Amino acid sequence: MKIIVPIDFSPNSIKALEMALTMANKKHGQVILIHVIEMVYDFASQAAIALESMYSDGEKQLKALINNYSGSQINMSYKLLEGSPAITVARLAEEENATLIVMGTKGASGINKVLIGSTAVNLIREATCPVLIIPEKANIASIKKVTLALEFANHEEKFIDWIVNMSQRWQLGLEFLHVQTQQEFRDQLSVLGLEKYLEKKYPELPVRIHTYYAESASAGLEEYLDEHENTILVMCHEHKNLWKQILEKSESVAMAYHTHIPLLIMN
């Protein structure tokens, strides 16, 4: 398992690194730190001096980080690159065939400040592998499970298989969540179908499926997270309706998932 961790040396990027180290398999896991230098070239002569200093300082700090966490027994390395943060991180993840990107975000005002227009949301759009967002107030020590929010769409099969595999690797419980905005019989059938699918494909997997009834998908998610705070919420980027509510509607964005729930986006 290969995990990419963008590092800007802030406390929350260090928290993301610690999360990545707990998720990496000690025998075969690998964590690659990446620090991206983003330059604004006003004067060429000054830019060259500034760039050299940034590379020197960045390398020192990356080496110190690896040394500090050498006791984790995880294979750790680093990349120091120049460019646009989101594009550079996404490109490295693709080149390295990474399993996952783990990124810390900061800001206590919620997803509207943490994600919208930020490196995080741009990275989600650019990346071809799953992206795990660690909010500033996340308590990674309290995480006991992952929760996959489903819309019962065709594209979700590969994500179900991926998250089942990862939850077992991470030794975390696994739950499924479906939010119904209308009382429809087909949704009830879909839940029963999911239970049978999981029982047949993963007979030893304890299956727990939550169905919440709410006016909107985001309201249902908020209600679930009020009752289940020790989880990583997993969503598919192809969830057009759900993603639109979370990223575009201010009333949905404002809830911010309590600003401390890690969010794993499947691409």
Side-chain angles (χ1 to χ4, degrees):
M1 182 174 191
K2 188 180 293 186
I3 302 177
I4 304 292
V5 183
I7 293 286
D8 62 5
F9 309 112
S10 66
N12 207 45
S13 69
I14 306 304
K15 181 184 289 186
L17 169 59
E18 292 174 350
M19 184 70 177
L21 290 172
T22 67
M23 301 174 94
N25 183 288
K26 290 186 177 181
K27 290 185 178 180
H28 307 290
Q30 181 179 358
V31 172
I32 302 176
L33 311 183
I34 175 171
H35 179 62
V36 180
I37 297 173
E38 191 173 20
M39 284 289 295
V40 178
Y41 295 97
D42 294 327
F43 302 97
S45 59
Q46 295 179 15
I49 296 173
L51 189 61
E52 183 178 353
S53 176
M54 287 181 179
Y55 268 97
S56 176
D57 291 345
E59 189 165 31
K60 286 180 182 178
Q61 292 184 79
L62 287 167
K63 288 181 177 179
L65 263 183
I66 290 178
N67 183 61
N68 287 343
Y69 289 95
S70 59
S72 66
Q73 300 180 330
I74 303 295
N75 180 6
M76 297 176 66
S77 60
Y78 71 85
K79 298 282 185 180
L80 189 58
L81 302 173
E82 183 183 352
S84 167
I87 294 174
T88 304
V89 173
R91 183 183 298 128
L92 176 66
E94 188 169 9
E95 291 173 353
E96 293 286 344
N97 194 26
T99 310
L100 180 68
I101 298 170
V102 180
M103 180 178 182
T105 58
K106 57 186 176 181
S109 299
I111 284 183
N112 54 334
K113 295 292 181 67
V114 176
L115 287 181
I116 300 300
S118 71
T119 298
V121 76
N122 290 331
L123 178 57
I124 289 168
R125 289 169 177 155
E126 295 288 341
T128 56
C129 69
V131 179
L132 175 59
I133 302 298
I134 308 295
E136 186 175 31
K137 294 184 179 180
N139 181 1
I140 59 178
S142 70
I143 294 172
K144 305 298 182 185
K145 61 188 178 184
V146 293
T147 301
L148 176 59
L150 293 172
E151 289 188 336
F152 299 130
N154 288 333
H155 67 265
E156 292 175 331
E157 180 179 2
K158 62 181 179 180
F159 295 139
I160 291 173
D161 292 339
W162 191 91
I163 203 64
V164 167
N165 181 271
M166 287 299 112
S167 66
Q168 292 173 337
R169 287 195 187 190
W170 300 333
Q171 297 182 325
L172 293 174
L174 175 60
E175 297 183 355
F176 297 87
L177 171 64
H178 176 62
V179 178
Q180 286 187 219
T181 56
Q182 296 179 5
Q183 294 273 8
E184 293 190 354
F185 182 58
R186 65 177 182 178
D187 282 327
Q188 298 177 36
L189 289 178
S190 296
V191 171
L192 292 173
L194 176 62
E195 291 178 352
K196 295 300 181 182
Y197 172 84
L198 293 171
E199 288 173 3
K200 182 177 180 180
K201 192 164 187 177
Y202 302 100
E204 298 180 0
L205 179 72
V207 177
R208 188 171 185 185
I209 303 172
H210 300 271
T211 300
Y212 278 68
Y213 299 92
E215 292 183 356
S216 66
S218 57
L221 286 174
E222 183 177 15
E223 185 180 350
Y224 173 82
L225 293 175
D226 277 335
E227 302 170 7
H228 304 265
E229 294 190 337
N230 61 341
T231 191
I232 297 172
L233 179 62
V234 187
M235 292 170 29
C236 305
H237 196 196
E238 293 182 47
H239 281 175
K240 304 301 182 184
N241 296 331
L242 187 54
W243 195 247
K244 183 176 181 179
Q245 287 188 49
I246 290 167
L247 293 183
E248 295 180 6
K249 289 188 177 180
S250 60
E251 66 268 25
S252 300
V253 168
M255 73 177 188
Y257 296 131
H258 309 230
T259 72
H260 62 271
I261 304 297
L263 182 63
L264 174 56
I265 306 298
M266 310 285 287
N267 289 311

